[in-house]
Amino acid sequence: MSIEVGAKLQGKVSGITNFGAFIDLGNRKTGLVHISEVSDGFVKDINDVLKVGDEVTVLVTTVGDDGKIGLSIRKALDKPQTEKKEFKKEPSRRPAPKKPFSKGPSASANKKEDFDSLMSSFLKDSDDRLSSLRRNTEGKRGGRGGRRS
């Protein structure tokens, strides 16, 4: 029996761990259903959902080169196809605000001065913080560069 990705198989729960359940697929093949693939909802404790010996239908999601088989119970469930709602972006009811026209070089000069003043205050504040940080951590370093009494 060849196990291929996408195949739905019947199996029996042969072991349960805190991260998933091992499913015996027959012919000495075992796969793992991760706890996130057990149910559509959140599963805190897998023992609440599965017990050793339970018969389950699984979908093969991965088959590794090393023989590891990834399984999913959640994807194997036949769900009725529901209509997917497509959300279309409605045009905004308000027009976009118009940008004011520049009134010559004075408007851009004000912006430049504002930016320069903001940048200089940022740099000053940054330098103050760095010097404070250096003072506070200087004595805490072991070895080189620290204060010695």
Side-chain angles (χ1 to χ4, degrees), residues 17-30:
T17 65
N18 58 351
F19 56 84
F22 289 98
I23 309 296
D24 182 19
L25 300 172
N27 292 343
R28 299 173 56 152
K29 298 278 187 181
T30 301

Side-chain angles (χ1 to χ4, degrees), residues 102-113:
S102 173
K103 304 233 178 177
S106 62
S108 66
N110 286 341
K111 286 183 182 179
K112 177 95 171 133
E113 288 175 22

Side-chain angles (χ1 to χ4, degrees), residues 1-148:
M1 173 173 132
S2 174
I3 295 178
E4 298 175 2
V5 174
K8 281 188 181 180
L9 305 170
Q10 279 294 120
K12 187 180 258 188
V13 178
S14 61
I16 293 181
T17 65
N18 58 351
F19 56 84
F22 289 98
I23 309 296
D24 182 19
L25 300 172
N27 292 343
R28 299 173 56 152
K29 298 278 187 181
T30 301
L32 173 71
V33 177
H34 189 266
I35 192 168
S36 64
E37 293 294 327
V38 171
S39 172
D40 280 332
F42 176 74
V43 177
K44 185 173 184 177
D45 185 11
I46 197 165
N47 292 307
D48 295 340
V49 182
L50 295 174
K51 304 282 183 241
V52 174
D54 286 353
E55 292 279 336
V56 292
T57 303
V58 293
L59 179 79
V60 179
T61 56
T62 59
V63 177
D65 294 334
D66 54 358
K68 292 183 179 178
I69 302 169
L71 304 171
S72 174
I73 295 173
R74 156 175 89 96
K75 291 178 183 172
L77 298 175
D78 293 325
K79 296 180 207 158
Q81 292 292 330
T82 58
E83 289 183 27
K84 291 184 179 180
K85 294 182 180 180
E86 292 185 23
F87 293 103
K88 295 181 182 176
K89 185 177 179 183
E90 294 182 21
S92 65
R93 298 179 193 268
R94 294 183 293 150
K98 295 182 180 179
K99 295 180 181 177
F101 291 109
S102 173
K103 304 233 178 177
S106 62
S108 66
N110 286 341
K111 286 183 182 179
K112 177 95 171 133
E113 288 175 22
D114 290 341
F115 176 76
D116 288 340
S117 64
L118 288 173
M119 183 57 95
S120 63
S121 66
F122 169 77
L123 288 174
K124 182 179 180 294
D125 187 41
S126 178
D127 287 339
D128 290 344
R129 288 183 184 190
L130 278 174
S131 63
S132 173
L133 185 64
R134 285 187 191 117
R135 270 194 310 266
N136 291 333
T137 59
E138 193 173 90
K140 296 178 183 172
R141 288 190 198 147
R144 60 189 165 139
R147 293 184 196 154
R148 299 180 192 233

